[in-house]
């Protein structure tokens, strides 16, 4: 991926080695040796396509086109669920309430299906940082195709202000029939696509960061911001929440309630922010990020994730 100046795994994990200096010598030496072995295996391992196993790449050309791409023209204007543009039964009241504090449109690149999920699990769980530029590239391709230069019908929602002129009065829609969050998403998308003032990311929990030794979305956010020529802003911190994977929908919402904060409020004042995350499931993470950013002074917040569970 020549487009990206990829941070080396060693550079990403330098702080881990510094922290180990305060540990007992025999433990620190063991951890350092394990880390070196892990990095050596990662650097020496031949990249294999996550779809078919072809060598020399994580995604061959054939598998690239076979990925479960989400068609933005038919996705929900609010939560990005595939085929939800007309009537989405996936997002609930949380998304409707989120519109009141600045949560705008949401986009996702791939369905969390097929081998698309391996991009996430291999990157996060196997800690293969070589996948960061591939993930950023997939998101950049989608951004350019559907967000920066969208095809007809892929932006906003149908103009409800003109439905009174429909030929059949019995099938008319009024503005009151359209959910508030849908209208808010359309307004934000029309006004700010692709005019974002900053890219930030949903930070990992403390436990996840400790386990991996890096924040997976930070690497992707830096690369994507550079390619899209949008300022990267390290705005959010998440010091309180636990890992989300074992929680149900209600527990996810409760776990993340007021768990994020903006570390430099002056950096996002009246800015239109694009928040990145790896996977959108219930939307709890991006909704909480939108709340924190909006309360800190952001003008609007849209979310952008690699995969979408639905």
């Amino acid at each position: 991926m020549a487009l990206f100046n990829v941070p080396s795994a060693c550079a990403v994990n330098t702080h881990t080695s510094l922290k180990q200096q305060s540990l007992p010598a025999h433990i620190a030496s063991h951890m350092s040796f394990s880390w070196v072995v892990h990095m050596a295996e990662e650097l020496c391992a031949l990249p294999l396509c996550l779809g078919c196993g072809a060598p020399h790449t994580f995604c061959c050309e054939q598998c690239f086109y076979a990925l479960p791409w989400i068609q933005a023209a038919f996705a929900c204007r609010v939560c990005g669920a595939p085929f939800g543009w007309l009537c989405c039964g996936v997002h609930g009241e949380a998304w409707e309430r989120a519109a009141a504090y600045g949560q705008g449109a949401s986009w996702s690149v791939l369905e969390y299906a097929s081998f698309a999920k391996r991009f996430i699990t291999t990157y996060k769980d196997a800690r293969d940082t070589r996948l960061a530029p591939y993930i950023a590239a997939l998101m950049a391709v989608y951004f350019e195709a559907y967000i920066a230069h969208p095809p007809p019908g892929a932006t906003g929602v149908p103009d409800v202000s003109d439905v009174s002129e429909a030929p059949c009065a019995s099938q008319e829609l009024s503005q009151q029939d359209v959910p508030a969050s849908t209208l808010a998403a359309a307004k934000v998308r029309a006004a700010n696509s692709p005019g974002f003032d900053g890219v930030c990311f949903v930070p990992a929990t403390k436990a996840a960061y400790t386990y991996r030794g890096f924040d997976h979305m930070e690497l992707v956010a830096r690369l994507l911001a550079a390619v899209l020529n949008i300022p990267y802003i390290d705005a959010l911190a998440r010091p309180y929440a636990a890992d989300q994977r074992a929680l149900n929908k209600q527990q996810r919402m409760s776990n993340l309630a007021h768990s994020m904060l903006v570390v430099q409020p002056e950096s996002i004042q009246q800015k239109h922010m694009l928040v990145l995350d790896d996977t959108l499931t219930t939307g709890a993470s991006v909704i909480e990020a939108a709340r924190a950013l909006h309360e800190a002074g952001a003008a609007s917040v849209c979310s952008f994730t690699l995969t979408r569970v639905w």
Side-chain angles (χ1 to χ4, degrees):
M1 304 297 292
L3 289 175
F4 300 100
N5 183 14
V6 186
S8 69
C10 297
V12 171
N13 289 276
T14 300
H15 66 280
T16 306
S17 300
L18 295 177
K19 290 181 180 178
Q20 291 169 0
Q21 294 178 3
S22 60
L23 297 174
H26 66 286
I27 298 178
S29 61
H30 175 73
M31 291 179 65
S32 299
F33 177 76
S34 299
W35 178 79
V36 169
V37 170
H38 171 75
M39 288 297 105
E41 290 176 346
E42 178 180 305
L43 294 173
C44 295
L46 180 68
L48 301 177
C49 176
L50 297 176
C52 66
H56 306 299
T57 179
F58 284 109
C59 186
C60 68
E61 183 177 357
Q62 181 177 358
C63 290
F64 174 83
Y65 290 107
L67 282 167
W69 298 89
I70 295 176
Q71 298 296 321
F74 304 108
C76 175
R77 303 325 196 214
V78 179
C79 70
F83 311 110
W85 72 274
L86 184 61
C87 182
C88 181
V90 178
H91 67 266
E93 295 181 1
W95 285 91
E96 303 296 329
R97 293 194 302 268
Y101 52 72
Q103 172 67 44
S106 180
W107 298 277
S108 296
V109 180
L110 307 169
E111 296 179 35
Y112 191 74
S114 182
F115 72 95
K117 63 179 70 174
R118 295 180 199 158
F119 279 95
I120 302 298
T121 56
T122 304
Y123 181 40
K124 292 170 60 175
D125 298 333
R127 294 176 290 178
D128 195 334
T129 54
R130 294 176 299 175
L131 272 168
Y134 279 83
I135 293 174
L138 288 172
M139 298 182 77
V141 167
Y142 194 90
F143 186 95
E144 291 296 326
Y146 288 116
I147 303 176
H149 306 289
T155 59
V157 295
D159 188 356
V160 296
S161 63
D162 296 332
V163 295
S164 59
E165 301 176 4
C168 181
S170 61
Q171 296 179 357
E172 288 182 8
L173 290 175
S174 67
Q175 187 158 325
Q176 287 75 18
D177 295 323
V178 181
S181 58
T182 303
L183 294 174
K187 185 181 297 184
V188 170
R189 186 176 292 193
N192 305 313
S193 298
F196 293 104
D197 302 313
V199 171
C200 64
F201 65 96
V202 173
T205 62
K206 182 178 180 180
Y209 184 88
T210 301
Y211 168 73
R212 299 185 190 115
F214 67 100
D215 196 315
H216 60 292
M217 287 313 297
E218 179 183 4
L219 300 183
V220 175
R222 289 181 181 275
L223 292 169
L224 185 61
V227 170
L228 300 180
N229 197 27
I230 301 175
Y232 165 77
I233 302 175
D234 192 5
L236 292 167
R238 184 162 67 171
Y240 311 117
D243 190 82
Q244 293 276 89
R245 286 194 250 192
L247 306 180
N248 61 34
K249 182 176 181 179
Q250 290 73 24
Q251 291 171 333
R252 284 170 180 256
M253 292 294 181
S254 300
N255 177 50
L256 286 180
H258 291 83
S259 64
M260 295 187 198
L261 53 87
V262 176
V263 292
Q264 294 180 327
E266 66 279 1
S267 65
I268 55 115
Q269 292 300 307
Q270 295 304 308
K271 291 185 177 180
H272 302 290
M273 299 297 298
L274 184 65
V275 180
L276 308 185
D277 203 1
D278 57 348
T279 301
L280 195 154
T281 305
T282 63
S285 296
V286 295
I287 289 174
E288 169 60 15
R291 179 206 61 79
L293 290 166
H294 178 72
E295 291 183 357
S300 67
V301 183
C302 292
S303 63
F304 190 29
T305 64
L306 176 66
T307 58
R308 178 71 165 86
V309 178
W310 69 297

